[in-house]
Each structure stands twice: as structure tokens, then as C-alpha cells.
């Protein structure tokens, strides 16, 4: 009986470093400059040389876009943005009335 390889743990938020599954990514450095399309391993090595992580910011693009960022700071800013959006959203309040047979038409008007 052979064992299946261990699956990576589920990640909350964007994929980063070794959790990026795409073989090639479009890389943007910490200053916002486009470094072009390169292999994920090569991009991770460059990010580690700078002291940052390689974070996948747009996974649905072709190829996916990855950026040199600090993962903790990126998650913190995303959480703050979500909290602000949740705080500023409006909820609609619905007014209810009870319809009974004994109430006349002019009471409903």
C-alpha cells in the first residue's frame, strides 16, 4: 500500500514563495518595475536576495503576476481594507406591517 504525498496546508490569502504552483510568473519588484516573465524558482531567489517574499497578486492572469512584498504586511493591509469596506457598507432595513381582516382600507393608506 503506497501513501499519497502530503498536500500543502490550506492557505488563507494569497499564495507566496513555494506555494505558487505556476512554473512561470510575471515579476514586479518592490519599486513597481516590471522585471518580465521568469521561472518561479528564479523569481523566489531574487526576492530572497532582496529580503522579501514572492507574493502572487493576480493568480488569474496569464502568466500569473507576482510581486516582491512582505507577506505579513500585505495580509495586514488587505485585512484593514476589508474591515473598512465592511464598516462603510449600508444595511437595508425592511419595515413590516401586519395585514388582518378587521383593518379597514383607509388604515392601510
Amino acid at each position: 500500500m503506497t501513501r499519497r504525498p502530503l498536500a500543502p496546508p490550506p492557505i488563507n490569502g494569497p499564495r507566496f514563495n513555494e506555494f505558487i504552483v505556476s512554473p512561470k510568473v510575471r515579476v514586479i519588484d518592490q519599486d513597481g518595475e516590471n522585471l518580465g516573465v521568469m521561472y518561479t524558482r528564479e523569481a523566489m531567489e531574487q526576492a530572497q536576495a532582496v529580503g522579501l517574499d514572492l507574493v502572487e497578486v493576480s493568480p488569474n492572469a496569464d502568466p500569473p503576476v507576482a510581486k516582491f512584498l512582505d507577506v505579513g504586511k500585505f495580509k495586514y493591509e488587505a485585512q484593514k481594507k476589508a474591515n473598512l469596506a465592511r464598516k462603510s457598507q449600508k444595511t437595508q432595513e425592511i419595515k413590516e406591517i401586519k395585514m388582518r381582516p378587521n383593518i379597514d382600507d383607509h388604515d392601510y393608506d
Side-chain angles (χ1 to χ4, degrees), residues 17-91:
N17 291 340
E18 61 272 354
F19 299 113
I20 298 175
V21 294
S22 178
K24 288 187 176 182
V25 291
R26 181 175 306 279
V27 180
I28 299 173
D29 69 354
Q30 68 273 18
D31 299 326
E33 293 185 29
N34 188 357
L35 300 180
V37 178
M38 60 178 67
Y39 289 104
T40 305
R41 291 281 171 210
E42 183 182 334
M44 281 189 337
E45 290 170 2
Q46 287 185 7
Q48 288 175 352
V50 179
L52 296 172
D53 300 308
L54 184 68
V55 180
E56 194 174 43
V57 292
S58 180
N60 297 331
D62 186 34
V65 178
K67 203 170 190 179
F68 295 167
L69 295 172
D70 181 21
V71 175
K73 186 175 180 182
F74 184 70
K75 285 183 179 180
Y76 175 73
E77 288 175 356
Q79 183 182 18
K80 281 186 69 170
K81 194 182 295 184
N83 287 343
L84 182 63
R86 192 177 316 120
K87 189 166 100 175
S88 64
Q89 87 180 24
K90 294 184 179 181
T91 58

